[in-house]
Amino acid sequence: MSATSAAFPPPERIVIATRESRLALWQAEHVKARLEALYPGCRVELLGMTTRGDQILDRPLAKVGGKGLFVKELETALLDGQADIAVHSMKDVPMQLAEPFALPCISAREVPLDAFVSSRYASLADMPPGAVVGTSSLRRESQLHAMYPMLSVTSLRGNLDTRLRKLDEGQYDAIILAAAGLKRLGLADRIRSELPSEVSLPAAGQGALGIECLANRPEVAAWLAPLNDADTSACVRAERAVARALAGSCEVPLGAYAEIRAGKLWLRGFVAMPDGSRIVRAEHEGRPEDAEALGLALAEDLRAQGAEEILSQLG
């Protein structure tokens, strides 16, 4: 047991609130297994829930309230005492957490890149003019329009299995998904190629899992401490600082991606018009312990290059 968790007795029971999609359940089971390994005497249970984000499938997320729709019901379960923790994909967690909640743990990251998935084409460059690419993300859409203006980019909603089914039915020539989700579900063979970050800069927190609890439960934070990954946590905090400074909880075409290289945190970000007609980019490097300050500095750089003007047009 870690020194952090030694201040509290080991848990006897932990209830995990989770969405009921196959990927969300995999993520919750993954955390469950790690907690059971850490605390062999603990009973870890899952509380499956359907969120509004899972129910509203006929409109783009940006038009119905953003990714916060995936976490509200889980947070209610924490407040009601039905659950002790909630497991999230970090890219689905609103940039501004409500006051009663905390994110004490961000676990080691899976591959953070976007994946090109198609049964017809090997890569975006192989697609002919007018070919249809599906994505749920304004971030991906803007970058696709900028680099491949001849392609038709259309909205794609639903959980991961639904999106793959729509592709297989021929509704799209290709779709773009997070590589992490495909790998976690044993579907890596569906990936024709991983898009380099120079082609599709990832979303803040992409590929990382966050564990949320109530801020007034220090014992829960202590139990989770051994699951936290310091490098991933620093990168994700830097990325989220960029997004929070520029967009708050709004859905805008914005990417932020940090890597630890030779002990330094290298952070890149962009803001764009959805049609890719204008993109501003910036990058910063510094100490991992200054993650949030680096994120704020990068946001200021983007503002200086015109990000505010882009965001005001989107508002």
Side-chain angles (χ1 to χ4, degrees), residues 37-62:
L38 272 172
Y39 308 110
C42 181
R43 198 166 79 253
V44 185
E45 302 170 9
L46 301 189
L47 174 65
M49 308 184 78
T50 301
T51 70
R52 285 197 68 219
D54 297 306
Q55 294 167 335
I56 303 172
L57 298 175
D58 58 342
R59 285 161 286 168
L61 274 180

Side-chain angles (χ1 to χ4, degrees), residues 167-183:
L167 172 70
D168 294 338
E169 288 172 353
Q171 296 183 38
Y172 303 87
D173 296 305
I175 60 178
I176 309 297
L177 300 169
L182 291 162
K183 293 189 174 198

Side-chain angles (χ1 to χ4, degrees), residues 225-284:
L227 273 59
N228 189 64
D229 182 83
D231 283 356
T232 300
S233 182
C235 288
V236 171
R237 283 188 290 110
E239 294 161 7
R240 285 172 60 81
V242 176
R244 188 163 51 245
L246 290 170
S249 59
C250 303
E251 290 285 305
V252 300
L254 180 154
Y257 176 47
E259 301 172 79
I260 304 288
R261 303 191 311 178
K264 295 275 194 176
L265 190 149
W266 179 40
L267 175 65
R268 288 173 285 163
F270 81 90
V271 175
M273 294 296 292
D275 63 2
S277 59
R278 187 173 177 201
I279 297 183
V280 296
R281 304 179 190 273
E283 61 180 80
H284 263 270

